[in-house]
């Protein structure tokens, strides 16, 4: 996988999250995985098309999802991952994907983004790639969010 395609996702996460009220994220691990992702509790998948094709998944446990939803809703307590919490998490992923698309456009790559798909359920499997993909583990003030990136240039 081309690092030029990975960095826009990482840069978006690091720059957008503090702008919407989160602590400054820190990259903690980078590793390769094969085809499927195991949901930690709440996962949001978005697709990329045009000159970049593939998927990105923001994967987190339920406590992290509640923290994110609460922060997105200006501190409103979140006790379960209901429709409102899912909507807040999906909106965060939209913001990240839009910033990523802007970063990719700066590399002269035209992209479109799909609507986010939120999956709730620990240990469920989702296929995001036909081959290996890269996962970037980010620490968000003590909360872990994995960014699984399975994108390539469309040839």
């Amino acid at each position: 996988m081309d690092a030029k395609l990975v960095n826009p996702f990482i840069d978006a996460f690091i720059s957008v999250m503090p702008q919407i009220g989160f602590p400054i994220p820190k990259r903690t691990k980078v590793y390769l995985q094969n085809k499927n992702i195991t949901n930690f509790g709440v996962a949001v998948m978005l697709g990329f098309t045009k000159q970049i094709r593939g998927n990105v998944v923001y994967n987190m446990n339920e406590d992290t999802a509640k923290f994110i939803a609460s922060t997105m809703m200006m501190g409103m307590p979140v006790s379960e991952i209901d429709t409102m919490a899912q909507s807040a998490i999906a909106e965060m992923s939209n913001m990240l994907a839009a910033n990523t698309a802007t970063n990719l456009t700066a590399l002269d790559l035209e992209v479109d983004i799909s609507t986010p798909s939120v999956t709730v359920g620990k240990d469920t499997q989702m296929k995001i790639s036909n081959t290996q993909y890269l996962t970037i583990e980010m620490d968000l003030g003590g909360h872990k969010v994995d960014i699984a990136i399975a994108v390539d240039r469309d040839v």
Side-chain angles (χ1 to χ4, degrees), residues 35-132:
K35 298 181 184 178
N36 295 333
I37 188 166
T38 302
N39 189 335
F40 296 145
V42 178
V44 184
M45 181 161 45
L46 295 105
F48 285 78
T49 60
K50 288 205 174 169
Q51 290 182 292
I52 300 296
R53 292 205 176 268
N55 300 298
V56 63
V57 176
Y58 300 98
N59 192 10
M60 64 205 82
N61 67 28
E62 193 172 309
D63 286 339
T64 297
K66 289 176 185 176
F67 166 72
I68 288 172
S70 175
T71 303
M72 291 294 293
M73 296 187 298
M74 306 301 191
M76 185 174 127
V78 175
S79 60
E80 63 179 303
I81 306 302
D82 58 13
T83 304
M84 185 177 282
Q86 289 178 39
S87 178
I89 294 164
E91 182 55 31
M92 176 209 64
S93 70
N94 270 331
M95 296 166 88
L96 293 170
N99 192 273
T100 299
T102 300
N103 294 343
L104 290 166
T105 300
L107 299 173
D108 292 324
L109 296 167
E110 189 177 346
V111 297
D112 278 340
I113 309 162
S114 73
T115 304
S117 175
V118 180
T119 304
V120 179
K122 189 175 182 196
D123 296 329
T124 57
Q125 294 279 313
M126 298 183 337
K127 181 178 178 180
I128 69 165
S129 174
N130 288 325
T131 60
Q132 288 186 323

Side-chain angles (χ1 to χ4, degrees), residues 17 28-30 35 87 93 134 152-153:
M17 296 306 278
T28 55
K29 289 183 189 173
V30 177
K35 298 181 184 178
S87 178
S93 70
L134 191 67
D152 255 316
R153 289 179 193 254

